[in-house]
Short mmCIF file of all heavy atoms in Angstrom, two decimals:
data_model
loop_
_atom_site.label_atom_id
_atom_site.label_comp_id
_atom_site.label_asym_id
_atom_site.label_seq_id
_atom_site.Cartn_x
_atom_site.Cartn_y
_atom_site.Cartn_z
N PRO A 346 -4.26 94.38 183.43
CA PRO A 346 -4.61 93.27 182.53
C PRO A 346 -4.42 91.89 183.16
O PRO A 346 -4.68 90.88 182.52
CB PRO A 346 -3.64 93.47 181.37
CG PRO A 346 -2.46 94.14 181.98
CD PRO A 346 -2.98 95.01 183.07
N VAL A 347 -3.95 91.85 184.42
CA VAL A 347 -3.74 90.57 185.11
C VAL A 347 -4.56 90.56 186.39
O VAL A 347 -5.02 91.61 186.86
CB VAL A 347 -2.25 90.34 185.44
CG1 VAL A 347 -1.43 90.22 184.15
CG2 VAL A 347 -1.69 91.45 186.33
N ASP A 348 -4.69 89.41 186.95
CA ASP A 348 -5.42 89.25 188.22
C ASP A 348 -4.51 89.72 189.36
O ASP A 348 -3.43 89.17 189.55
CB ASP A 348 -5.80 87.78 188.42
CG ASP A 348 -6.69 87.59 189.64
OD1 ASP A 348 -6.89 88.58 190.39
OD2 ASP A 348 -7.18 86.47 189.82
N PRO A 349 -4.93 90.75 190.11
CA PRO A 349 -4.10 91.23 191.21
C PRO A 349 -3.72 90.15 192.21
O PRO A 349 -2.70 90.27 192.89
CB PRO A 349 -4.97 92.31 191.86
CG PRO A 349 -5.87 92.77 190.76
CD PRO A 349 -6.17 91.54 189.95
N ALA A 350 -4.55 89.09 192.27
CA ALA A 350 -4.24 88.00 193.22
C ALA A 350 -2.99 87.25 192.82
O ALA A 350 -2.36 86.58 193.66
CB ALA A 350 -5.43 87.04 193.30
N ASP A 351 -2.63 87.31 191.54
CA ASP A 351 -1.42 86.62 191.07
C ASP A 351 -0.14 87.45 191.28
O ASP A 351 0.95 87.00 190.93
CB ASP A 351 -1.55 86.31 189.57
CG ASP A 351 -2.67 85.32 189.30
OD1 ASP A 351 -3.04 84.58 190.22
OD2 ASP A 351 -3.19 85.33 188.15
N VAL A 352 -0.29 88.63 191.83
CA VAL A 352 0.84 89.55 191.98
C VAL A 352 1.23 89.66 193.43
O VAL A 352 0.38 89.81 194.32
CB VAL A 352 0.50 90.95 191.43
CG1 VAL A 352 1.69 91.89 191.61
CG2 VAL A 352 0.08 90.87 189.97
N SER A 353 2.56 89.61 193.72
CA SER A 353 3.06 89.80 195.07
C SER A 353 3.25 91.31 195.29
O SER A 353 4.03 91.97 194.59
CB SER A 353 4.39 89.08 195.25
OG SER A 353 5.01 89.48 196.45
N LEU A 354 2.54 91.85 196.29
CA LEU A 354 2.64 93.28 196.56
C LEU A 354 4.06 93.67 196.98
O LEU A 354 4.52 94.78 196.70
CB LEU A 354 1.63 93.68 197.64
CG LEU A 354 0.15 93.51 197.27
CD1 LEU A 354 -0.74 93.93 198.43
CD2 LEU A 354 -0.19 94.30 196.02
N GLU A 355 4.73 92.78 197.70
CA GLU A 355 6.11 93.06 198.11
C GLU A 355 7.01 93.20 196.88
O GLU A 355 7.88 94.07 196.81
CB GLU A 355 6.65 91.97 199.02
CG GLU A 355 6.00 91.92 200.39
CD GLU A 355 4.63 91.23 200.36
OE1 GLU A 355 4.28 90.69 199.26
OE2 GLU A 355 3.92 91.26 201.38
N GLU A 356 6.82 92.31 195.88
CA GLU A 356 7.63 92.39 194.66
C GLU A 356 7.32 93.66 193.87
O GLU A 356 8.24 94.29 193.32
CB GLU A 356 7.37 91.17 193.79
CG GLU A 356 7.87 89.86 194.40
CD GLU A 356 7.50 88.65 193.59
OE1 GLU A 356 6.76 88.81 192.57
OE2 GLU A 356 7.93 87.54 193.94
N VAL A 357 6.05 94.05 193.84
CA VAL A 357 5.67 95.28 193.14
C VAL A 357 6.31 96.49 193.82
O VAL A 357 6.87 97.37 193.17
CB VAL A 357 4.13 95.43 193.10
CG1 VAL A 357 3.76 96.80 192.55
CG2 VAL A 357 3.53 94.33 192.26
N ALA A 358 6.27 96.54 195.15
CA ALA A 358 6.85 97.67 195.89
C ALA A 358 8.36 97.73 195.70
O ALA A 358 8.97 98.82 195.73
CB ALA A 358 6.50 97.55 197.36
N ALA A 359 8.99 96.55 195.50
CA ALA A 359 10.44 96.52 195.33
C ALA A 359 10.88 96.89 193.91
O ALA A 359 12.08 97.09 193.66
CB ALA A 359 10.97 95.13 195.69
N LEU A 360 9.91 96.97 193.00
CA LEU A 360 10.24 97.30 191.61
C LEU A 360 10.51 98.82 191.50
O LEU A 360 9.59 99.64 191.59
CB LEU A 360 9.09 96.90 190.67
CG LEU A 360 9.30 97.15 189.17
CD1 LEU A 360 10.57 96.48 188.66
CD2 LEU A 360 8.09 96.67 188.38
N ASP A 361 11.76 99.19 191.37
CA ASP A 361 12.18 100.60 191.37
C ASP A 361 11.56 101.35 190.18
O ASP A 361 11.73 100.94 189.03
CB ASP A 361 13.70 100.68 191.28
CG ASP A 361 14.22 102.12 191.42
OD1 ASP A 361 13.40 103.02 191.63
OD2 ASP A 361 15.44 102.31 191.29
#
Side-chain angles (χ1 to χ4, degrees):
V347 296
D348 187 353
D351 295 337
V352 179
S353 168
L354 296 179
E355 291 79 7
E356 293 175 355
V357 172
L360 181 56
D361 186 3

